[in-house]
Amino acid sequence: MSSQEVHPIAGLTAGRSVADIVRRAVDLLFRCGDVAEVRVPKAGRHRTISGYFSDPTRLVEEVERLDGNRFPGVYWTINPVSSALLGRADHKLKAFVENTTSDADILRRLCLPVDLDPRRPSGISSSDAEHTAALEMARSIRAELTADGWPEPVLADSGNGAHLLYRLDLPNDAESTALVKNVLEALANRHSSEVVAVDATTYN
């Protein structure tokens, strides 16, 4: 995969629709036929919203319907989940959901996420300087790992920080969990600063 950068805020200000932004991300991260959960935590009076999708077009349509609700975040799983979970909400989003995807529901690890966020109290958006620092650190890590022979990642602008998403193909087992945990801890120890931290807790 060639290195690609995804900037949701820049894309929206350039006049692209929410559907265009979501479709671009889905095209980069979603394999048709795999099942992904879309989840909206802290959805106000709806509590948690969740649904499961194997059709990327339907996923985009349902996420687009959420636009304008001002939810704090809309997420989907970046590793494929068991198709049995379609029985919870098959290609639709449901409110007041209590059961969502667990670690054991992940079929394989197809993506290694490296999450970089400015150090700040919970619930506070990053400043422009902090946001820029996170993006600069992501590019620095990408350059270092590429020089070490890693594949080119997707670099995503989260609005507050940055993500590096690396393709891999590992079973979802204890050995792979330990490997990913060690990688993230090594990156955190090497690159985290007083301003931006590499999140070492996303190994699951």
Side-chain angles (χ1 to χ4, degrees):
M1 173 188 291
S2 61
S3 182
Q4 302 188 54
E5 298 194 10
V6 181
H7 303 279
I9 303 303
L12 290 172
T13 57
R16 300 179 68 186
S17 69
V18 170
D20 288 339
I21 301 300
V22 174
R23 190 174 296 109
R24 182 184 179 199
V26 168
D27 287 345
L28 287 172
L29 302 174
F30 192 94
R31 298 190 316 178
C32 189
D34 285 347
V35 177
E37 180 198 2
V38 173
R39 190 186 309 173
V40 186
K42 300 179 181 179
R45 62 184 180 86
H46 303 290
R47 296 173 60 187
T48 298
I49 298 171
S50 174
Y52 292 84
F53 302 84
S54 61
D55 182 339
T57 300
R58 294 282 298 279
L59 187 155
V60 171
E61 291 171 351
E62 287 297 296
V63 171
E64 186 180 20
R65 289 179 53 238
L66 298 173
D67 186 35
N69 285 282
R70 303 184 69 83
F71 295 130
V74 178
Y75 308 89
W76 69 77
T77 51
I78 56 176
N79 290 307
V81 307
S82 170
S83 60
L85 300 188
L86 286 167
R88 292 177 176 170
D90 190 348
H91 290 88
K92 61 185 177 183
L93 294 174
K94 296 171 61 175
F96 308 105
V97 170
E98 295 185 2
N99 296 311
T100 56
T101 304
S102 68
D103 290 354
D105 295 321
I106 300 298
L107 299 179
R108 293 190 68 80
R109 293 176 177 269
L110 299 182
C111 187
L112 168 66
V114 182
D115 185 13
L116 299 93
D117 273 315
R119 299 182 188 271
R120 64 196 188 284
S122 178
I124 299 177
S125 297
S126 62
S127 66
D128 289 344
E130 291 169 336
H131 182 202
T132 297
L135 290 169
E136 289 177 348
M137 181 180 290
R139 294 187 179 102
S140 176
I141 294 174
R142 177 180 62 180
E144 178 182 295
L145 295 181
T146 298
D148 287 341
W150 284 49
E152 291 287 351
V154 171
L155 191 161
D157 178 345
S158 69
N160 280 313
H163 308 289
L164 292 168
L165 306 175
Y166 284 93
R167 294 288 189 192
L168 45 73
D169 190 0
L170 295 172
N172 180 24
D173 58 18
E175 184 177 354
S176 296
T177 298
L179 174 62
V180 170
K181 182 178 181 181
N182 289 339
V183 167
L184 293 177
E185 288 177 348
L187 290 173
N189 290 335
R190 182 179 298 181
H191 293 282
S192 291
S193 69
E194 294 182 357
V195 178
V196 178
V198 177
D199 188 347
T201 68
T202 59
Y203 59 88
N204 64 336

